[in-house]
Amino acid sequence: MAKMVDKKGAEDSNYPLPTQPKVILSHQQPYPGYPVKAKIRLRTASKTSLRGSDIIVGSPITIRPVKTKTAGTGAHPSPKGIEPLEDWSPSASLSSVPNSSSWSRLEKDLYLQSNGVFNPAEVARHRRIIPNQFPTSTGSLGSEQEVYGRVSVVTPTMSSRVQYHEQLWASFEAQTWPDKELIVVETHEVEPSPFLSKKAREDPRLVFLSFKIPENAEDFTVGLKRDMTLYLATGEFVANFDDDDVYSAVYIERMIGELQHRGLEALTFSGWYNFFDRNGVCTYTSQDCWDEDEVEDNLYGFGFSYVHRRRPGLLSPYPNIEFAEDLPFMMNLMKHYGEGAVGLMPDSSGLCIHMVHRSNSTVDPLYTREVPREELVGLEVAKLPIFVEYLEAKDAAACWPTWWDSMP
């Protein structure tokens, strides 16, 4: 039986409804360069220290029901739905689920392709937004509603990667963007992540759902988990954080700022830094690494640096596949919104560093050059204590052979 961890950290197969939020607050002013659309003001309150399921982020709020907008080739496309696994046939049915006929295409797909484990009617209660405040164009659960200017950091993970969860939180908490939330969907065999369970009880900005996978059952794919995080997100913008990579404090600020400035639907790196954990070597990857017919797949196929507007992701979600789910997501955005709607940006200041280790789900990246130590320590990401710990550990390891060799 799949279980969910709510904000109070309790496992409950009945998905209890958290305390109704008193108010949702956002930052005071829209970010420059982005047009104000369909703003609806809710009541505001003084900034108050609240715990549990009360949601207080800043002041004041803007929630908007998303309207059709012109971008790329035209208006938002019709909902595409989640492309299922090959040879998939549903084992769950919507016939006995109350009011499911009014669900959106995405909501129905999430329920069916998770074999009924991810029930939008119950899971939607964990979104950091007051549900059903405004009418929506599809469905009745309010999944289209989002908070203007908020960034949802989204991460799929599993219990075998618990060693990275504290690092993930450190990267999230360091971000300078004022209104942010972290959405983590985990699967586990024995127990949910102890660190994230504790943090979810302490900080309402973390929405942490952990599903128990029965013995001998198939885990959810990375693609399906990504779609679950998109559904739970309440931000106007989404930033993918891989749990094992390190993101500088200004990562979201710079990436979303670039996306807004250029009027894009999505943005990703065209060049980035790598850190090889096994030997402490830092490298830089650019499109010069690949043959001409490989460039597109590699430029758009590394999801660790994706940022995008949430709405397009709901309409054209990730395919339900375990590996290489990133590339078709970006390709579909370009298909529906035009090639110019997805932008590339080289990371020239070390906004993020892609960690390379044995737990990576991808092969070791090719690289253009090795990065000298003086450049490495000057990167934005090197200002984070969590990355300084990596460097100090590698420095200590490098000293070990010298000390050993000096022994009689």
Side-chain angles (χ1 to χ4, degrees), residues 378-394:
L379 299 179
E380 287 288 347
V381 75
K383 299 175 184 177
L384 283 184
I386 190 69
F387 189 68
V388 172
E389 292 177 10
Y390 272 110
L391 296 181
E392 291 176 345
K394 294 307 167 187

Side-chain angles (χ1 to χ4, degrees), residues 217-245:
E218 290 290 329
D219 195 355
F220 296 150
T221 68
V222 175
L224 189 61
K225 288 180 187 177
R226 289 197 185 278
D227 291 330
M228 292 173 179
T229 65
L230 286 179
Y231 183 78
L232 287 160
T234 62
E236 178 185 5
F237 306 103
V238 171
N240 284 11
F241 274 23
D242 280 5
D243 54 13
D244 56 343
D245 293 329

Side-chain angles (χ1 to χ4, degrees), residues 273 282 369-380 382 391:
Y273 289 88
C282 182
R369 61 184 178 89
E370 288 195 13
V371 175
R373 178 59 180 246
E374 56 270 22
E375 180 181 350
L376 173 60
V377 298
L379 299 179
E380 287 288 347
L391 296 181

Side-chain angles (χ1 to χ4, degrees), residues 142-331:
S143 62
E144 289 185 335
Q145 296 165 13
E146 56 193 30
V147 180
Y148 181 88
R150 176 177 290 171
V151 173
S152 298
V153 176
V154 298
T155 304
T157 189
M158 56 201 310
S159 57
S160 61
R161 300 175 67 86
V162 293
Q163 68 270 29
Y164 302 119
H165 292 169
E166 187 171 354
Q167 172 181 308
L168 168 65
W169 178 259
S171 286
F172 165 77
E173 193 169 37
Q175 297 303 308
T176 57
W177 192 271
D179 187 0
K180 59 183 183 286
E181 64 180 2
L182 176 60
I183 311 295
V184 181
V185 170
E186 175 195 58
T187 49
H188 67 272
E189 294 78 27
V190 179
E191 64 175 359
S193 165
F195 177 83
L196 292 176
S197 296
K198 180 176 183 292
K199 191 59 66 176
R201 294 192 296 268
E202 299 170 348
D203 197 315
R205 296 174 301 171
L206 172 59
V207 176
F208 174 51
L209 273 63
S210 189
F211 297 94
K212 184 175 178 62
I213 301 299
E215 189 176 357
N216 300 322
E218 290 290 329
D219 195 355
F220 296 150
T221 68
V222 175
L224 189 61
K225 288 180 187 177
R226 289 197 185 278
D227 291 330
M228 292 173 179
T229 65
L230 286 179
Y231 183 78
L232 287 160
T234 62
E236 178 185 5
F237 306 103
V238 171
N240 284 11
F241 274 23
D242 280 5
D243 54 13
D244 56 343
D245 293 329
V246 183
Y247 299 82
S248 72
V250 295
Y251 175 82
I252 289 178
E253 179 184 323
R254 301 274 182 86
M255 292 290 281
I256 297 298
E258 181 77 3
L259 180 143
Q260 290 177 298
H261 177 71
R262 293 164 61 181
L264 302 170
E265 297 296 331
L267 177 70
T268 189
F269 285 154
S270 59
W272 60 86
Y273 289 88
N274 310 288
F275 187 82
F276 288 79
D277 184 57
R278 60 179 173 266
N279 56 14
V281 171
C282 182
T283 66
Y284 191 82
T285 293
S286 70
Q287 64 185 59
D288 296 333
C289 297
W290 309 297
D291 294 335
E292 184 176 348
D293 60 345
E294 300 175 324
V295 170
E296 184 178 76
D297 288 0
N298 282 284
L299 285 182
Y300 297 103
F302 281 86
F304 75 91
S305 66
Y306 285 4
V307 297
H308 60 88
R309 301 183 193 273
R310 176 174 176 263
R311 174 63 168 162
L314 295 180
L315 297 175
S316 187
Y318 289 89
N320 185 0
I321 54 177
E322 181 58 34
F323 181 74
E325 79 288 348
D326 318 87
L327 181 63
F329 177 80
M330 281 298 204
M331 293 296 103

Side-chain angles (χ1 to χ4, degrees), residues 4 17 37 81 98 110 117 150 178 200 223 228 252 256 267 293 329 337 345 354 358 369 397 402:
M4 179 182 298
L17 176 65
K37 294 184 182 180
L110 285 170
V117 172
R150 176 177 290 171
M228 292 173 179
I252 289 178
I256 297 298
L267 177 70
D293 60 345
F329 177 80
Y337 293 92
M345 185 184 86
H354 179 52
R358 293 176 181 175
R369 61 184 178 89
T402 303

